[in-house]
Amino acid sequence: MIKAKLQDVKRSLILEAAAESFESAGYEALKISDLAKSVGVSVGTIYGLFDSKEGLYMAYVKAQIGGYIEELRARCVEVTEPEAQLEAAFWLKFSHFASKRKAVEECAKNNPLFFSNIRHSEPEILEQVYKVVAGIVRRINPALDEDEALAMSYHIAGLSDGYINYWLVHDGDLLSQLPALQAQMLTMIKGC
């Protein structure tokens, strides 16, 4: 029991330090040996907990998605109008990416399937996001059944990922793209 708790504490400390590095310098700049030294653990400990640098990065991504889900659920309690909830969901998504650009830009630019890979590697956590958005979609268009709303949630997530990819390649202000995305999403949802 104590050993498991110690492993959890180590994992959290390593992940916190890795997050700082990913967000300030990017994925490529993170050196596992430097991370181990900064946290006071061995390189073997990091590999034992995360398997690889990619495993560490995916744990970081999963933690970020978990934080996004918590914020999204809280925002949906504060904002009750479904169109405003939809806007809040994607404002949160865009603001997370904008504030963590360094952490994602190398991986997304070097891998055109970056978002798809995340969906496949962490389907259960992303399914939580899609279900929250599907609930909003059904409130906007009550004619959609649960499966149709969930499918629409996947479609609009792909659309928003496209905006993020474009921003990563062409720069600009990601949050300024939200009104165009919102209009496209509402047209898709109401047009079904």
Side-chain angles (χ1 to χ4, degrees), residues 119-137:
R119 280 190 198 95
H120 293 303
S121 66
E122 298 298 336
E124 62 282 341
I125 193 167
L126 282 175
E127 190 71 10
Q128 294 175 50
V129 175
Y130 298 140
K131 286 182 177 179
V132 171
V133 173
I136 297 168
V137 165

Side-chain angles (χ1 to χ4, degrees), residues 18-36:
E20 288 177 24
S21 181
F22 288 143
E23 292 170 12
S24 65
Y27 176 84
E28 293 296 328
L30 178 93
K31 304 291 181 239
I32 297 296
S33 59
D34 293 340
L35 177 64

Side-chain angles (χ1 to χ4, degrees), residues 80-172:
T80 57
E81 178 61 37
E83 289 183 13
Q85 287 177 333
L86 187 69
E87 182 176 10
F90 289 92
W91 181 87
L92 281 171
K93 181 176 181 175
F94 280 17
S95 64
H96 272 259
F97 275 93
S99 69
K100 297 170 186 341
R101 181 182 180 127
K102 280 283 193 194
V104 295
E105 71 182 331
E106 292 164 345
C107 295
K109 282 182 178 179
N110 295 331
N111 179 359
L113 300 175
F114 175 74
F115 291 105
S116 180
N117 288 344
I118 291 173
R119 280 190 198 95
H120 293 303
S121 66
E122 298 298 336
E124 62 282 341
I125 193 167
L126 282 175
E127 190 71 10
Q128 294 175 50
V129 175
Y130 298 140
K131 286 182 177 179
V132 171
V133 173
I136 297 168
V137 165
R138 284 195 75 199
R139 290 186 57 224
I140 293 170
N141 185 347
L144 296 174
D145 67 26
E146 285 184 34
D147 288 337
E148 292 168 328
L150 186 59
M152 181 60 66
S153 177
Y154 275 79
H155 294 309
I156 60 180
L159 180 62
S160 68
D161 292 348
Y163 273 87
I164 294 166
N165 276 327
Y166 182 84
W167 165 74
L168 288 169
V169 172
H170 298 282
D171 292 321

Side-chain angles (χ1 to χ4, degrees), residues 9 17 37-38 53-54 56 65 70 98 135 149 172-173 175 183 189 192:
V9 169
K37 187 176 179 180
S38 75
K53 182 176 175 179
E54 293 80 16
L56 176 62
I65 294 168
E70 288 177 21
D173 178 11
L175 291 171
I189 294 166
C192 291

